[in-house]
């Protein structure tokens, strides 16, 4: 398993500003993912971040809006740029890790609740 | 048709009831199946993980997979108020995180 720390846990942001969310993992992992969960909705994958390479974005998400850094195997950041009220959401950092030798699965951080006003 | 569909809920049950949460899917290639529990304002936590068809039990929780019907279930016995949360099913054809597909979630309330 993996223990994932995210900050900030919540924030209220002004329209047009940008906010960077940090994600720290307690062990080295290859795959890190950023998800968005809009109110009452399920999880939508924004991008996959591998250390040493550019993030891979899913359809509908672009680097200019959601730049991602992955400087090492335990840390990543997601920036939500030029925010609008539609960006109000929970943003979740997650990692792929082993389940005690029985294959891999995804573990999530506590999430960062952003409200854009 | 969405790739993964889940009973919409919300679902309210009395304490001690048996709860059944269900997901259906369309992609016959899915072979890894998971259930996550998400408390309000928290990130999802992995509850159950199964590979291919069959049942898996962990305490009060039983995960059931029927690949022939493309149907998975999570049963909660002797439900407790602490089980009140949103339950998300997730599945994948390959054991790689970027391929996981999540259901929309079912919100469960267990009333004391």
């Amino acid at each position: 398993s993996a223990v994932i720390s995210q900050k900030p846990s919540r924030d209220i942001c002004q329209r047009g500003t940008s906010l960077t969310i940090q994600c720290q993992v307690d062990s080295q992992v290859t795959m890190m993912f950023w998800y968005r969960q809009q109110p009452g909705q399920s999880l939508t994958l924004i991008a996959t971040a591998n250390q040493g390479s550019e993030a891979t974005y899913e359809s509908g998400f672009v680097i200019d809006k959601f730049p991602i850094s992955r400087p090492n195997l335990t840390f990543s950041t997601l920036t939500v740029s030029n925010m609008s009220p539609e960006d109000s959401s929970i943003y979740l950092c997650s990692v792929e890790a082993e389940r005690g030798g029985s294959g891999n699965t995804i573990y999530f951080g506590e999430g960062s609740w952003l409200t854009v006003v | 048709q969405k790739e993964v569909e889940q009973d919409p809920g919300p679902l309210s049950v009395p304490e001690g009831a048996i709860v059944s949460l269900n997901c259906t899917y369309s992609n016959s290639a899915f072979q890894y199946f998971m259930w996550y529990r998400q408390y309000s304002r928290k990130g999802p936590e992995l509850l159950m993980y199964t590979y291919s068809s069959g049942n898996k039990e962990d305490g009060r929780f039983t995960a059931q997979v029927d690949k022939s019907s493309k149907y998975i279930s999570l049963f909660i016995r002797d439900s407790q108020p602490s089980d009140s949360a949103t339950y998300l099913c997730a599945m994948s054809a390959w054991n790689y995180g970027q391929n996981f597909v999540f259901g929309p979630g079912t919100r469960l309330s267990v009333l004391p």
Side-chain angles (χ1 to χ4, degrees):
Chain A
S1 65
V3 177
I4 305 166
S5 302
Q6 256 184 264
K7 56 181 181 181
S9 57
R10 57 172 55 202
D11 207 340
I12 298 174
C13 309
Q14 295 295 317
R15 185 193 302 247
T17 62
S18 299
L19 182 82
T20 296
I21 302 167
Q22 298 181 4
C23 177
Q24 180 76 50
V25 189
D26 68 341
S27 57
Q28 293 185 340
V29 293
T30 302
M31 306 287 281
M32 293 182 78
F33 309 95
W34 288 97
Y35 282 85
R36 181 173 72 183
Q37 187 178 31
Q38 294 180 305
Q41 304 295 314
S42 189
L43 304 170
T44 301
L45 181 62
I46 297 172
T48 301
N50 292 336
Q51 192 266 338
S53 63
E54 288 203 7
T56 302
Y57 289 83
E58 298 299 307
S59 175
F61 298 97
V62 295
I63 187 171
D64 289 347
K65 177 67 175 177
F66 298 102
I68 289 171
S69 78
R70 181 79 200 274
N72 57 51
L73 291 172
T74 62
F75 188 79
S76 178
T77 67
L78 169 76
T79 299
V80 186
S81 303
N82 188 25
M83 287 186 282
S84 67
E86 292 72 35
D87 295 319
S88 297
S89 185
I90 177 171
Y91 292 87
L92 291 155
C93 171
S94 66
V95 303
E96 181 177 338
E98 259 198 38
R99 289 173 44 256
S102 303
N104 294 349
T105 192
I106 292 181
Y107 296 91
F108 289 90
E110 292 285 279
S112 298
W113 291 83
L114 303 187
T115 302
V116 184
V117 298
Chain B
Q1 181 188 10
K2 292 184 180 176
E3 201 167 14
V4 178
E5 302 204 44
Q6 193 168 351
D7 292 345
L11 184 62
S12 290
V13 301
E15 184 175 355
I18 296 174
V19 176
S20 172
L21 303 167
N22 308 295
C23 284
T24 58
Y25 61 94
S26 57
N27 187 347
S28 57
F30 287 150
Q31 51 184 344
Y32 299 92
F33 304 91
M34 290 132 287
W35 286 94
Y36 286 83
R37 178 174 62 195
Q38 185 175 22
Y39 291 115
S40 180
R41 302 185 183 278
K42 298 287 188 181
E45 60 175 315
L46 180 66
L47 199 57
M48 297 288 282
Y49 179 104
T50 52
Y51 170 71
S52 194
S53 284
N55 293 357
K56 184 174 183 179
E57 189 173 319
D58 184 359
R60 296 184 294 110
F61 299 89
T62 299
Q64 193 172 77
V65 175
D66 183 348
K67 288 187 67 181
S68 63
S69 301
K70 298 191 185 70
Y71 190 89
I72 70 170
S73 299
L74 177 70
F75 298 97
I76 306 174
R77 291 185 300 280
D78 187 25
S79 56
Q80 303 294 310
S82 58
D83 295 327
S84 298
T86 297
Y87 290 80
L88 300 157
C89 63
M91 47 198 77
S92 173
W94 304 100
N95 199 12
Y96 300 120
Q98 67 266 39
N99 300 122
F100 283 33
V101 180
F102 288 86
T106 300
R107 193 169 73 199
L108 170 68
S109 295
V110 181
L111 308 175

